[in-house]
Amino acid sequence: MSTMVSPCPNRKTWDATVRVTGGHPQQLWGVGEAQVTAEGSGLRVDRVMVHDAEQRTVGYAQLYLRSEAERVVAGTVHCHVHRPQDLPVVAAALADWAREEHGAVLLRFQADTLRTRGTTEALEAVGFTRPAAEAGPEEPRRLEVVLGETERDLSQRLSEATLDRCRTALRTPGVTVREVTAGSRALANTGLRTRLITQLLEDLGEDSLLLVATETAETGGETALGYLWFVHTRGTAMIYRLGFTRRGRDLGMDDALLLTGIVELQKRRVQRLDGGDPDETEVPLVVRELSGTERAVLGPWELPLGRGPAGEFTEDVADAADEATGTAVAAELGLEDPVPAGSPEHREPEDEPKAGDGAERPARGRARRVRDLTRRVVGEGISALRDAAGR
């Protein structure tokens, strides 16, 4: 198949294409803009579409271009390929474009295509290999939460203990859950800083859902307990960023806010939630309980483009930028020292992995933790949840 690659400079056209074709939220224009905000001048984004000889779009990608020491490395995250059989054609076209237009020495390629018969062999046939950090006996997988039609569909999949934890958290006196939008003054009215948050909300637009939980003290002051940020298309949502104080986790707001958000995604007619790598310790309990399946995915691949050694600098740069931005968001929400899910301070003894429950699986995702959890996708009117505490 002959192909042609063309850049897309129009935001409305790009996002409309992502929504109509069922692309991953990682492909939304605002996600790329937010990543540039995180990394600064060290990152450029080139949004390109791949067409066949009849000018039909067969795939598209936000191509992330990072440079150091005059070397450019290109990368995609969940780029869209319409049909599995077009996977090697799209990958090869993006590689040629990255080399010829940007002088890239390496393409790190990740598509939203499921792993089916022949897909890995097709990538290998055009020169792609699995990165050394991804090698191992375990094949890449992703958790998937099918949202269903009603809140009852979700609650029936949760354990009674988890449901009770959520209900108790939302009914705690003084606890309030709010949706925050770019034009909202909800946080400003509680004394929380919103400069960076407002910028990210403007970047992400209507495809974002940011929920913040606060607690009113007896003295009348209001403090943040945690936040959960989804980015979504009509078909798929991902957890973009999240953070909770120790007090918030003790109350169960981490589970409660996630369940509240998923219910709101149902109202927006979102069909499923990308739950992330099942081997990641940071995957929330609610996601694990709601996930009915683990999807076999292709995972990351790479192809040297023949202009000298690429090095391994870009992953560290990207992860550090995402982590710094996530910390800045937490600080602006009043969460100066959020406790990450799965951290030693938060984990109870019974939370330790048990033999036969993934404890012996290789920690493939450790180096990708920030990228997958904060971009997710490191990662938006619609009815606001002004006060979910009384539900």
Side-chain angles (χ1 to χ4, degrees):
M1 178 194 298
S2 62
T3 59
M4 180 182 69
V5 179
S6 61
C8 178
N10 186 283
R11 179 172 188 154
K12 289 184 178 180
T13 299
W14 180 268
D15 280 349
T17 300
V18 174
R19 296 187 187 103
V20 169
T21 59
H24 194 278
Q26 279 284 0
Q27 293 309 304
L28 290 167
W29 188 288
V31 173
E33 291 300 292
Q35 195 63 30
V36 171
T37 299
E39 297 189 37
S41 59
L43 172 67
R44 292 174 292 143
V45 181
D46 188 13
R47 298 170 180 91
V48 295
M49 295 186 177
V50 181
H51 311 282
D52 63 13
E54 278 86 43
Q55 296 296 309
R56 294 174 300 194
T57 302
V58 295
Y60 52 83
Q62 294 200 89
L63 201 59
Y64 291 95
L65 303 160
R66 299 180 176 92
S67 60
E68 183 177 292
E70 299 182 354
R71 298 173 301 175
V72 176
V73 170
T76 70
V77 183
H78 295 298
C79 82
H80 184 71
V81 180
H82 288 351
R83 303 183 303 173
Q85 58 265 41
D86 294 334
L87 181 69
V89 174
V90 172
L94 292 174
D96 290 342
W97 178 266
R99 179 179 57 248
E100 296 168 8
E101 296 294 322
H102 301 290
V105 299
L106 181 74
L107 173 64
R108 289 192 172 107
F109 177 78
Q110 185 186 29
D112 61 358
T113 312
L114 295 180
R115 189 173 73 250
T116 57
R117 179 179 298 178
T119 49
T120 57
E121 292 80 4
L123 281 174
E124 291 169 348
V126 292
F128 284 83
T129 59
R130 290 278 298 279
E134 304 292 335
E138 291 288 338
E139 295 289 348
R141 295 157 297 126
R142 306 285 289 184
L143 293 170
E144 181 179 67
V145 177
V146 178
L147 299 190
E149 295 295 328
T150 67
E151 188 173 349
R152 181 178 176 82
D153 296 333
L154 298 172
S155 62
Q156 288 179 334
R157 283 181 265 158
L158 292 174
S159 66
E160 279 300 318
T162 300
L163 277 174
D164 287 344
R165 177 177 162 86
C166 294
R167 292 174 183 137
T168 300
L170 293 173
R171 293 169 181 167
T172 301
V175 167
T176 301
V177 173
R178 295 182 178 90
E179 179 188 351
V180 178
T181 64
S184 172
R185 294 190 55 82
L187 288 185
N189 290 339
T190 63
L192 300 179
R193 300 181 298 277
T194 58
R195 179 193 57 80
L196 176 60
I197 298 165
T198 300
Q199 179 61 56
L200 289 172
L201 283 170
E202 289 175 351
D203 286 341
L204 296 168
E206 64 183 18
D207 303 305
S208 172
L209 172 63
L210 171 59
L211 299 179
V212 177
T214 61
E215 184 176 27
T216 303
E218 293 182 0
T219 57
E222 197 169 8
T223 58
L225 295 172
Y227 72 98
L228 185 64
W229 205 332
F230 294 97
V231 176
H232 64 86
T233 60
R234 291 180 181 176
T236 305
M238 66 179 184
I239 300 173
Y240 182 59
R241 301 186 190 280
L242 76 168
F244 296 90
T245 62
R246 186 171 285 102
R247 166 67 175 167
R249 291 190 181 279
D250 288 345
L251 287 176
M253 285 310 305
D254 49 345
D255 288 338
L257 213 57
L258 183 55
L259 183 57
T260 301
I262 290 176
V263 171
E264 182 65 16
L265 291 174
Q266 277 186 329
K267 297 177 184 177
R268 300 184 180 197
R269 303 299 182 188
V270 178
Q271 299 168 10
R272 58 189 174 274
L273 171 70
D274 178 357
D277 187 336
D279 288 340
E280 291 284 359
T281 58
E282 293 86 352
V283 175
L285 178 62
V286 168
V287 171
R288 291 194 184 277
E289 290 191 3
L290 290 176
S291 298
T293 59
E294 292 184 5
R295 302 192 305 161
V297 296
L298 283 168
W301 294 73
E302 63 184 27
L303 177 68
L305 302 180
R307 294 197 177 185
E312 294 298 326
F313 57 88
T314 56
E315 291 302 322
D316 291 341
V317 170
D319 285 354
D322 266 341
E323 190 167 22
T325 303
T327 302
V329 170
E332 290 217 352
L333 288 167
L335 303 169
E336 300 290 349
D337 185 26
V339 181
S343 69
E345 298 103 350
H346 174 244
R347 181 178 293 164
E348 298 295 333
E350 61 269 26
D351 291 332
E352 295 295 334
K354 298 178 177 60
D357 189 31
E360 297 179 359
R361 290 175 178 166
R364 300 190 324 268
R366 198 173 304 278
R368 309 192 311 276
R369 175 174 58 85
V370 177
R371 181 183 67 212
D372 283 347
L373 285 179
T374 55
R375 279 195 213 158
R376 269 189 291 124
V377 179
V378 180
E380 307 174 52
I382 306 137
S383 60
L385 298 177
R386 298 299 180 191
D387 186 350
R391 284 190 176 184

